[in-house]
Amino acid sequence: MHFSPQNNWMNDPNGLVFHDGLYHLYFQCNPQGVSHANISWGHATSTDLTRWTEHDPAILWDDDAQIFSGSVVVDHGNTSGFGTDQEPALVALYTAAAPGHQAQALAYSTDGGYVWTKYQGNPVLDRGTSDFRDPKVFRYDDGGDGYWVMVAVEAQDRQVLLHRSDDLKTWTFLSSYGPAGPVGGVWECPDMFPLAVDGDEDDVRWVLLISLNPGGIAGGSGTHYVVGDFDGEVFRPSAPFATPGPESLTDGSQSRAELEAFGWIDFGPDCYAGVTFDGLGRHDRTLIAWMDNWQYAGRIPAEDSEEHRSAMTLPRRLSLTRDQGGAERLRQTPVIEVDPGESVDLGSLTGSAVLAEGLTGAARIRLAAAFGDAQSVELRIESSSGDGVVIRQDRVSGRIELDRPGAGMPPGFPGTPSMLLAQPDEIGWDVWIDALNERVSSIELFAQDGGKVLTALIPTASPRTYSLDVVGGALSGARADVVDIEG
């Protein structure tokens, strides 16, 4: 279910674009090995966001610079002059990274995104600094012809910088945002886009995504979001954060309580650098993220592995909803079609129940219930070798947590990521599990109709047994749907 390269290193998704019926996924890769080096753009395509075809690397590093993260747009109107009005070019803006210097560069493709030419006038935007990176470009409609907007970061300064251009080659400064909110690590991989609140086109807000490392809600890497307004020049958050003190920028001293006051794409440790596709409509805004964490990415599945490194998350459709307090909240829904599974009516469940045994590959489990007088409910995922994890929802604390053991895993891996629910008496889980290789699998847990998400790699091999334990009483109206997804 998850894209991963056939071999070698992979990290951030780049240049997500939908064009001529194909979803293009570019990504940070090392064409020559499993370490983070020789960074170039890999390339894969899909017609359905589920089955992917990997292609030759798209934009290769050279002696001058590595090809760090960036974005791709379809240049309708041929503003850059690289294509024609009838056959627009695809234009990539990326970070040309050299020792002590990062600037934004351009490449273009006139064959639909397979062969790329680096622009002879590179770099197209250079601040003369060492940590200016990760451009995300979109077309802004100002009621006239519109113009291009780039959001990028000064990573160490925890600032998002906005620039505009008419031709994708010459850029002028608009404004900046930050530092604000979570600042316990450098800022990376921003994205910004409009969404209609609860589908109301008369109530549109802008969402700003900022990845940071470390300082994430689950430790290490994480991705934060802010909702606000954008007038074509300045992004203004709906609920501004206080400017953090200088100690927060130097020692990552923000507490768990402080971090929980911010918006997070994901409350697990393994969802980072997520960005959205260009070329889709507002109601189809779709995100893919890197399913890993910089605390241990180079050591999964094992230090000496000659396999590929990492995988991407499931693609997720994004929407905005307004909660009872009037705040706008991001909601995520997996964009993947699976056959209906076996539905099990568990009724007033006490004790334990086995939901499925001997499943290999991927699975989806949906659980719906009310707590009744139970204290907690646990989903146990165990392999034949005894490895396992537990997803637990506790009625008193109102939290869902994942117990992730660290046996055989690198330092920084074990932990208990959790997320606080708005409706703690209700149980509504949508859990996706996939075997990434013989040693490591993944969990993506969507709760509250996608209002809260937790993604984590887990040390659980196939085949697996899925069982449900009810502690301290009984659930009421419990139902589980189990889908065994063919590999």
Side-chain angles (χ1 to χ4, degrees):
M1 292 191 300
H2 297 81
F3 173 77
S4 59
Q6 296 179 41
N7 48 52
N8 297 337
W9 171 271
M10 179 183 76
N11 59 292
D12 306 353
N14 300 146
L16 303 185
V17 63
F18 180 72
H19 180 59
D20 282 350
L22 279 179
Y23 295 91
H24 292 262
L25 165 63
Y26 301 93
F27 53 91
Q28 298 279 273
C29 76
N30 176 1
Q32 300 176 1
V34 294
S35 63
H36 183 258
N38 312 316
I39 295 301
S40 306
W41 276 23
H43 184 206
T45 57
S46 174
T47 58
D48 60 5
L49 292 170
T50 303
R51 291 166 289 272
W52 294 91
T53 300
E54 188 172 356
H55 305 284
D56 292 337
I59 309 176
L60 288 169
W61 70 290
D62 56 31
D63 291 340
D64 295 325
Q66 297 186 75
I67 313 300
F68 277 15
S69 291
S71 55
V72 168
V73 295
V74 184
D75 186 15
H76 296 294
N78 195 29
T79 63
S80 65
F82 296 128
T84 66
D85 289 341
Q86 294 72 33
E87 297 184 9
L90 298 184
V91 178
L93 278 301
Y94 62 87
T95 298
H101 183 223
Q102 294 182 358
Q104 312 324 311
L106 182 153
Y108 61 93
S109 171
T110 57
D111 71 344
Y114 299 93
V115 176
W116 291 82
T117 301
K118 294 175 183 175
Y119 177 48
Q120 292 298 311
N122 282 333
V124 295
L125 181 55
D126 187 354
R127 289 170 49 85
T129 58
S130 61
D131 294 285
F132 176 44
R133 58 179 177 264
D134 307 340
K136 185 64 163 69
V137 175
F138 61 89
R139 189 74 179 172
Y140 180 74
D141 181 4
D142 64 350
D145 294 333
Y147 50 88
W148 301 103
V149 173
M150 176 196 294
V151 290
V153 293
E154 278 288 358
Q156 295 286 350
D157 295 340
R158 281 73 151 184
Q159 280 196 318
V160 175
L161 303 181
L162 285 75
H163 293 77
R164 66 165 287 173
S165 174
D166 293 321
D167 62 4
L168 294 166
K169 295 177 286 190
T170 302
W171 295 88
T172 57
F173 178 75
L174 289 172
S175 62
S176 65
Y177 170 82
V183 293
V186 297
W187 281 10
E188 296 185 314
C189 302
D191 195 356
M192 195 167 76
F193 46 84
L195 287 175
V197 180
D198 293 316
D200 183 358
E201 289 297 330
D202 293 326
D203 188 7
V204 174
R205 295 290 183 271
W206 284 76
V207 180
L208 174 63
L209 305 184
I210 304 168
S211 290
L212 72 155
N213 176 61
I217 187 71
S221 313
T223 300
H224 164 56
Y225 75 88
V226 188
V227 180
D229 294 304
F230 178 59
D231 61 4
E233 293 187 7
V234 179
F235 173 80
R236 297 179 175 87
S238 299
F241 301 122
T243 301
E247 67 280 358
S248 297
L249 299 177
T250 57
D251 62 11
S253 59
Q254 290 172 305
S255 68
R256 173 77 189 203
E258 288 176 296
L259 293 177
E260 287 198 340
F262 308 133
W264 296 93
I265 283 283
D266 200 290
F267 288 81
D270 295 307
C271 179
Y272 190 64
V275 288
T276 63
F277 280 87
D278 185 69
L280 295 175
R282 182 178 296 167
H283 295 291
D284 295 322
R285 179 65 60 176
T286 302
L287 174 141
I288 291 178
W290 179 42
M291 197 160 58
D292 218 323
N293 191 304
W294 280 116
Q295 287 188 319
Y296 42 74
R299 294 168 287 157
I300 294 286
E303 292 274 6
D304 59 352
S305 172
E306 295 181 359
E307 306 171 27
H308 64 268
R309 296 286 191 197
S310 301
M312 296 299 180
T313 64
L314 290 177
R316 305 171 180 188
R317 186 69 39 79
L318 305 184
S319 59
L320 270 184
T321 188
R322 185 169 282 112
D323 66 16
Q324 293 181 345
E328 300 96 353
R329 304 295 184 189
L330 201 62
R331 179 175 289 166
Q332 303 172 67
T333 305
V335 187
I336 185 170
E337 297 292 335
V338 297
D339 294 332
E342 178 183 358
S343 183
V344 182
D345 188 353
L346 301 169
S348 297
L349 180 65
T350 60
S352 301
V354 175
L355 302 181
E357 293 183 274
L359 298 191
T360 60
R364 179 190 190 187
I365 296 178
R366 287 179 287 185
L367 176 65
F371 257 109
D373 60 356
Q375 296 175 2
S376 64
V377 59
E378 298 177 348
L379 176 65
R380 295 184 174 273
I381 305 171
E382 298 174 303
S383 68
S384 56
S385 62
D387 297 324
V389 298
V390 177
I391 300 172
R392 180 184 301 107
Q393 183 170 335
D394 183 83
R395 184 178 63 177
V396 175
S397 69
R399 287 188 177 277
I400 292 178
E401 63 182 16
L402 171 70
D403 283 343
R404 183 170 77 166
M409 291 292 121
F413 189 86
T416 310
S418 70
M419 52 190 181
L420 185 64
L421 302 177
Q423 296 96 24
D425 290 335
E426 300 177 6
I427 301 165
W429 302 354
D430 187 7
V431 186
W432 299 75
I433 303 100
D434 197 6
L436 304 182
N437 53 51
E438 71 276 9
R439 292 182 252 185
V440 177
S441 299
S442 63
I443 285 179
E444 287 166 274
L445 167 59
F446 298 80
Q448 290 184 188
D449 295 322
K452 292 290 179 71
V453 185
L454 191 154
T455 300
L457 303 178
I458 56 173
T460 305
S462 296
R464 300 189 193 87
T465 296
Y466 300 90
S467 59
L468 200 64
D469 289 348
V470 182
V471 179
L475 301 180
S476 64
R479 176 175 293 277
D481 298 307
V482 181
V483 183
D484 182 7
I485 302 173
E486 294 289 338

